[in-house]
Amino acid sequence: MDNANLSDIEIVKGKPQSYVAAPPAEVLVEAKKKVLFVASEAAPFIATGGLAEVIGSLSKALAKSDVFDVRVILPLYQDIRKEHRKDLRYIGNLYVPLSWRNQYCGIFEYKAEGVTYYFVDNEYYFKRPGCYGYYDDGERFAFFSRAVMEILGFIGFYPDILHCHDWQAALAAIYLKTVYCLRPEFQHIRAVFTIHNIEYQGKYSLDILEDLFGLSYRNKNLVEYDNCINLMKGAIECSEAVTTVSPSYAEEIKQPYFSYGLDPIIRRNEFKLTGILNGIDPEFYDPAADPSLFANYDARHIENKAVCKAELQKMFGLPQKPDTPIVAMVSRLVAGKGLDLVKDIIEQALREDMQFVVLGTGESTYENYFSDLARRYQGKVVAVISFNSDLARKIYSGADLFLMPSRSEPCGLAQMIASRYGAVALVRETGGLKDSITPYGAGGNGFTFRDYNANDLLYVICEALAVYRDKAEWAKLTKKAMETDFTWSTSSKYYEGLYLGLLK
Ligand code: GLC
């Protein structure tokens, strides 16, 4: 009973030498399998992308079953939202060894909706704006991962499953199998590693293996790839199971086109790889209750979506035409999102009766391109170069068609959110886009095209606009998109099965 605490112990009167543990709650917790998520971000505390949303919503979904005690550990960044920071409870501190360093580590705790969160505090590493992009990110996340391992004893929670997400948490799995594996409390722990995006692998010079990561040269082979330290590769080697965020992406990353060099490692570890499609939190993204919207609606009472559209047009200074479709993109403005295709054909598409709205930030070529397009097509095109989740929600609710023509997309959440808000998704058939959106022509919930080709994109946009003109047909399609189950209800079962399989 490693969580024992004096208030849980009941002294049995008259028998001073013996005691019994207070039963129900604690016993139940003990019976649950313990899962610890290690991640560099988690909604609602800190989010730069889909990773945070998945950590937030998957942990909640798993905690709902009575099988798992789910906890999440992340760095205490300066940017953790104020409204959450005030509720964090300080539970202690310790010093974390990292090679020759010995660094302070404060631990804060927060509990919500069945999930316990821990925050790793060290101002030198994390009291900076944002989460990533510093010259010493390798050291920052090595400290974080090493702190995770040290904290387990302190909080009395040795998980059955240590589930590490993306390269920033990779070292936790690596430390488990190199530094900590001989300690009895760690020997039962099984490691799961999830690849949210294979593009970011955590690559460093081999020179810092000992000095910075505190790994012995005996373990060099585990993390070495292409003459570098590759933390993602190390975590794949050190984990009993590897998952990625959609079944199609699990296949794709076995090929060089998608793998950013890691396909030989993926193929070699194919036996431990599964693709599990992400879900979204249906309460967080609920057009029937979303306070950001101009009006609320759902699939059965969709009339207010027209109000959202009219208000969006008004806000953007677009003509308030109910029958002109709004085609939208909410995206990071980077090449991988298929923007070169959009650039190639958008002016041809704009000859049709449509309005085009883009929201996002990213590479300056695309930011400039879309701003210029909006200047040239005033009253038809709007480009908002910023990121603002309130505005994103207003766009999902006002739009009719949502474009996501990515070159590669591990999972993608925007196509699911858009569909739930009744903006029919038009996607390229890759990764999670292919697994969540099926083509209209085959009775599906959206529009798709296969090859990464601008003419195919244009063709399918025109097909969608033609269906839009058929009111009854479009209403049916919108309803179908909105009613597609994008929740975790099925996918979290796959994780449960995976964990239980590893614990047999
Ligand atoms: C990454 C991927 C995205 C995925 C998200 C959550 O951001 O690029 O496709 O949806 O992780 O897994």
Side-chain angles (χ1 to χ4, degrees):
M1 213 175 79
D2 48 25
N3 269 334
N5 150 345
L6 275 184
S7 61
D8 295 322
I9 309 282
E10 202 182 280
I11 306 292
V12 178
K13 293 214 176 86
K15 293 187 190 165
Q17 298 304 314
S18 63
Y19 60 82
V20 292
E26 194 68 15
V27 169
L28 257 179
V29 170
E30 275 303 299
K32 288 186 180 180
K33 301 291 180 208
K34 299 173 184 167
V35 177
L36 181 64
F37 275 19
V38 186
S40 56
E41 42 183 286
F45 309 100
I46 181 103
T48 70
L51 169 66
E53 300 209 14
V54 169
I55 300 302
S57 56
L58 173 59
S59 57
K60 255 169 54 180
L62 286 167
K64 275 196 189 129
S65 79
D66 281 338
V67 187
F68 301 103
D69 176 359
V70 185
R71 309 195 184 186
V72 176
I73 187 160
L74 64 150
L76 186 70
Y77 301 104
Q78 164 186 309
D79 287 356
I80 298 237
R81 295 185 186 125
K82 285 229 173 54
E83 70 260 35
H84 298 299
R85 199 173 255 272
K86 67 175 181 0
D87 295 328
L88 308 187
R89 191 170 70 89
Y90 173 75
I91 57 173
N93 71 72
L94 45 85
Y95 276 78
V96 172
L98 183 63
S99 185
W100 48 267
R101 302 165 192 79
N102 204 26
Q103 306 285 42
Y104 171 88
C105 166
I107 311 164
F108 286 77
E109 186 194 63
Y110 178 79
K111 295 187 182 184
E113 297 184 69
V115 180
T116 303
Y117 300 86
Y118 297 104
F119 296 83
V120 171
D121 179 32
N122 175 299
E123 295 198 344
Y124 169 67
Y125 289 125
F126 301 124
K127 196 174 176 188
R128 312 176 188 187
C131 298
Y132 320 115
Y134 292 97
Y135 75 98
D136 58 348
D137 279 357
E139 182 179 333
R140 296 168 73 222
F141 292 104
F143 164 76
F144 168 63
S145 302
R146 194 66 199 249
V148 170
M149 305 314 286
E150 293 288 319
I151 285 170
L152 302 182
F154 191 90
I155 57 175
F157 186 81
Y158 290 98
D160 299 297
I161 300 287
L162 182 76
H163 190 159
C164 307
H165 297 263
D166 272 353
W167 78 262
Q168 293 88 346
L171 274 163
I174 298 168
Y175 289 142
L176 174 67
K177 295 300 158 63
T178 53
V179 182
Y180 292 84
C181 59
L182 294 177
R183 304 189 195 173
E185 324 78 273
F186 289 84
Q187 284 178 356
H188 71 288
I189 304 179
R190 299 283 169 269
V192 177
F193 182 66
T194 294
I195 301 171
H196 291 262
N197 192 337
I198 205 165
E199 186 174 349
Y200 308 103
Q201 298 173 1
K203 291 188 197 173
Y204 293 94
S205 158
L206 277 169
D207 298 343
I208 59 173
L209 187 72
E210 280 190 315
D211 183 69
L212 203 138
F213 292 133
L215 288 167
S216 140
Y217 268 91
R218 278 197 319 272
N219 294 314
K220 182 168 142 241
N221 287 347
L222 274 178
V223 293
E224 180 180 8
Y225 189 60
D226 267 354
N227 277 323
C228 288
I229 294 172
N230 185 314
L231 297 178
M232 184 171 271
K233 183 255 183 182
I236 293 171
E237 301 287 6
C238 290
S239 299
E240 277 80 17
V242 176
T243 75
T244 187
V245 291
S246 68
S248 291
Y249 195 60
E251 286 307 311
E252 289 171 349
I253 57 177
K254 292 175 192 162
Q255 301 160 23
Y257 182 79
F258 292 96
S259 77
Y260 290 86
L262 222 49
D263 49 294
I265 303 301
I266 299 289
R267 288 196 299 272
R268 194 168 79 204
N269 287 279
E270 193 179 344
F271 67 97
K272 40 169 125 151
L273 177 68
T274 340
I276 304 176
L277 188 67
N278 284 337
I280 54 172
D281 179 343
E283 284 161 30
F284 190 60
Y285 290 113
D286 183 4
D290 190 333
S292 296
L293 305 197
F294 292 111
N296 293 107
Y297 58 94
D298 63 25
R300 276 183 300 163
H301 309 92
I302 201 173
E303 310 75 35
N304 274 349
K305 187 168 163 67
V307 177
C308 294
K309 178 170 175 177
E311 290 295 326
L312 188 71
Q313 287 170 322
K314 186 161 143 204
M315 189 172 99
F316 282 151
L318 294 167
Q320 278 183 279
K321 295 190 190 159
D323 294 330
T324 297
I326 298 186
V327 180
M329 290 190 81
V330 174
S331 175
R332 276 188 303 127
L333 301 181
V334 296
K337 297 289 180 184
L339 300 177
D340 42 349
L341 301 190
V342 175
K343 226 172 128 179
D344 275 356
I345 54 91
I346 194 67
E347 297 201 44
Q348 266 170 282
L350 284 167
R351 290 186 199 148
E352 304 276 329
D353 179 29
M354 64 175 256
Q355 297 170 342
F356 183 53
V357 172
V358 184
L359 170 69
T361 58
E363 291 164 14
S364 54
T365 20
Y366 294 112
E367 293 187 349
N368 296 339
Y369 173 75
F370 286 115
S371 304
D372 177 61
L373 189 76
R375 265 192 298 274
R376 287 189 291 118
Y377 287 84
Q378 269 186 26
K380 205 163 164 94
V381 175
V382 172
V384 183
I385 307 301
S386 77
F387 190 76
N388 172 330
S389 73
D390 180 78
L391 187 54
R393 288 161 181 263
K394 289 187 167 71
I395 293 175
Y396 292 126
S397 68
D400 298 290
L401 190 65
F402 186 80
L403 299 191
M404 217 161 153
S406 309
R407 187 198 303 272
S408 146
E409 193 63 69
C411 178
L413 302 175
Q415 80 281 13
M416 303 186 193
I417 304 167
S419 301
R420 184 152 162 74
Y421 282 61
V424 176
L426 186 164
V427 305
R428 188 172 98 77
E429 292 169 21
T430 181
L433 297 176
K434 182 174 173 191
D435 297 337
S436 55
I437 304 300
T438 45
Y440 165 76
N445 59 357
F447 296 90
T448 73
F449 65 106
R450 203 188 65 181
D451 295 334
Y452 193 72
N453 175 313
N455 288 322
D456 292 1
L457 169 62
L458 178 62
Y459 181 86
V460 73
I461 291 178
C462 293
E463 182 197 354
L465 296 179
V467 179
Y468 178 83
R469 289 191 283 270
D470 180 340
K471 284 234 158 76
E473 203 47 31
W474 191 259
K476 259 198 275 171
L477 179 57
T478 308
K479 189 157 189 282
K480 185 161 217 163
M482 291 182 76
E483 285 177 342
T484 308
D485 182 5
F486 293 115
T487 68
W488 280 104
S489 61
T490 310
S491 292
S492 70
K493 296 275 181 307
Y494 286 112
Y495 280 105
E496 288 177 18
L498 178 82
Y499 295 161
L500 294 175
L502 291 175
L503 297 178
K504 261 189 198 148

